[in-house]
Amino acid sequence: MKIGNIELDSPFVVSPMAGMTDTAFRRLVKRQGGCGLVVSEMVSSEGLVRGIDRTLEYAEYTEEERPVSIQIFGGEPAKMAEAARVVEAMGANIVDVNMGCPVPKIAKHHAGCSLMREPHHAAEIIAAMTKAVKIPVTVKMRKGWDDGEVNAPELAKRVEGAGASAIAVHGRTAQQSYSGFADWDVVAGIARSVSIPVFGSGDCIEPEDIVTRMQSGVSGVFVGRGVLRNPWILAQARDLMAGRPARQITDEDRGRFLLDYMALLQAEQKGEQDGFRHLVAQSTPPRAEASKERWVVNKLRALCTWYTKGFDGGAQFRIGVNSAKSVAEVEELIAGFFFKSVGTNL
Ligand SMILES: Cc1cc2nc3c(=O)[nH]c(=O)nc-3n(C[C@H](O)[C@H](O)[C@H](O)COP(=O)(O)O)c2cc1C
């Protein structure tokens, strides 16, 4: 399938997740197979335009991740157009607009999900961006603001008219946040009503869920929390789609994934990352060694919150990781939890 002129070799996408889908995580998911596109964490249009180093850091990606979509948020058409130019100049394949974030800090600035309540303004943003860049501009939205304002069907048509190349719809309202269930009927209705590709998002936790949702008429599926729990889910869904049994993942595979993640994060902090784009200006004061290590440990804590949910002893493991102070301590915990049966020497 294609988004504009960008060919995806799988319809399954790593959904953008702030704080989670950094370049290291995306690379590792991509390496497992079945992933047609990765989307960055949301990045501030303001920060991109002003060249703020930490914002640029969020937009980092490596060649290995292509095709790459960078998601931006903001509410001013001119600034969003300028930010899209920055994204294009960085060499990303797609620029995506966040119209789904319900967090008040974002939504109160006419950005994120509040754009859903202003479809005309949202379309102006997309029109300004599509005029400014050649790469495809896409939109990620929710079902609507609340049950009384299910605006996604209208917004989808508007942004298509303004030149958007694809849409992803998370089937919950902003008011729902993450409660209840995603409404895939609304998603399917939108897929029927526009001619650009529509991706559905919400509640694909098992690979079978992805296969089922593909039958709703969408062009593809964005998977968020399911990938955080099981980074092989997209590869497994591809196995199932091809009529093969889903690949089996062992405890050691799961442990190895965390160790690899930690190694990539550490390499990044040391500036050793192969293929890393180093967008961040040299003027940024380097993090102190202790704060680099803390950053890596915090990243592991965040992932482990999702990664070990529902596993025997997972809660105990998370308590350990949450109180760990060093990478070495986290490694030891991983060895004890995932490699206990084989006694692997790390
Ligand atoms: C921790 C977290 C962070 C998220 N951050 C973003 C974001 O930055 N941009 C966005 O469009 N959606 C974001 N989402 C929404 C997801 O991309 C996805 O649409 C939603 O979680 C529903 O899909 P799922 O059930 O597969 O997780 C986030 C979700 C989670 C759980």
Side-chain angles (χ1 to χ4, degrees):
M1 66 146 317
K2 276 180 147 191
I3 296 180
N5 57 349
I6 306 297
E7 184 92 42
L8 309 193
D9 67 11
S10 160
F12 310 141
V13 179
V14 176
S15 209
M17 282 177 286
M20 309 305 303
T21 48
D22 52 61
T23 163
F25 183 78
R26 298 188 309 250
R27 265 175 278 159
L28 288 178
V29 174
K30 186 98 192 184
R31 285 178 198 171
Q32 317 311 323
C35 169
L37 178 69
V38 298
V39 187
S40 74
E41 320 176 45
M42 61 179 177
V43 179
S44 151
S45 55
E46 180 78 36
L48 280 180
V49 170
R50 286 169 47 198
I52 294 177
D53 293 335
R54 293 289 175 237
T55 307
L56 293 171
E57 219 174 78
Y58 289 131
E60 278 282 15
Y61 66 89
T62 57
E63 289 301 310
E64 182 182 355
E65 293 163 59
R66 287 195 189 281
V68 172
S69 170
I70 294 190
Q71 185 186 68
I72 64 175
F73 68 89
E76 284 178 47
K79 195 155 284 169
M80 289 292 275
E82 191 50 42
R85 280 194 205 100
V86 175
V87 168
E88 183 172 58
M90 283 170 55
N93 302 97
I94 295 171
V95 56
D96 183 61
V97 179
N98 183 313
M99 296 195 190
C101 182
V103 175
K105 195 171 78 177
I106 308 279
K108 77 173 180 219
H109 294 297
H110 299 278
C113 203
S114 62
L115 285 173
M116 298 202 68
R117 311 184 86 178
E118 308 170 34
H120 178 71
H121 180 61
E124 272 177 11
I125 291 177
I126 300 305
M129 290 173 66
T130 51
K131 233 162 108 188
V133 294
K134 292 197 179 65
I135 55 172
V137 176
T138 60
V139 176
K140 184 161 177 289
M141 60 181 77
R142 282 185 175 239
K143 171 183 170 181
W145 182 257
D146 59 21
D147 281 346
E149 282 184 68
V150 175
N151 345 50
E154 184 198 346
L155 184 65
K157 287 211 170 110
R158 292 259 198 164
V159 298
E160 178 183 37
S165 296
I167 299 166
V169 184
H170 174 198
R172 284 186 178 83
T173 62
Q175 192 190 45
Q176 269 182 293
S177 190
Y178 291 93
S179 67
F181 297 99
D183 179 349
W184 279 80
D185 290 339
V186 164
V187 177
I190 295 170
R192 285 191 299 272
S193 75
V194 295
S195 40
I196 52 178
V198 172
F199 292 79
S201 163
D203 306 335
C204 290
I205 296 299
E206 300 296 336
E208 289 80 4
D209 300 331
I210 301 176
V211 176
T212 305
R213 294 312 184 187
M214 280 302 286
Q215 288 153 11
S216 67
V218 293
S219 298
V221 177
F222 273 45
V223 186
R225 292 164 295 178
V227 181
L228 301 180
R229 286 168 174 231
N230 170 15
W232 295 268
I233 189 172
L234 307 183
Q236 290 172 323
R238 189 165 68 179
D239 289 339
L240 296 176
M241 293 283 279
R244 298 186 293 264
R247 68 197 62 180
Q248 295 291 313
I249 305 304
T250 64
D251 282 356
E252 290 79 39
D253 293 329
R254 292 183 62 79
R256 178 61 51 201
F257 184 95
L258 287 183
L259 294 175
D260 289 347
Y261 182 49
M262 223 159 29
L264 288 180
L265 294 171
Q266 283 179 291
E268 191 178 310
Q269 286 297 309
K270 287 184 191 146
E272 293 170 357
Q273 186 52 64
D274 212 16
F276 212 62
R277 297 165 53 80
H278 295 297
L279 294 167
V280 177
Q282 297 307 312
S283 61
T284 316
R287 287 188 174 103
E289 287 309 313
S291 106
K292 286 180 186 171
E293 179 149 15
R294 205 173 328 119
W295 180 81
V296 173
V297 171
N298 284 342
K299 279 273 173 192
L300 261 290
R301 284 182 189 166
L303 179 58
C304 287
T305 306
W306 302 94
Y307 197 75
T308 55
K309 230 178 205 163
F311 278 80
D312 273 354
Q316 202 57 36
F317 173 73
R318 288 194 295 278
I319 291 170
V321 173
N322 285 340
S323 54
K325 303 264 179 303
S326 66
V327 165
E329 266 180 80
V330 178
E331 277 174 354
E332 211 169 292
L333 287 160
I334 293 172
F337 189 72
F338 293 99
F339 295 94
K340 48 188 181 287
S341 54
V342 286
T344 302
N345 185 354
L346 298 175

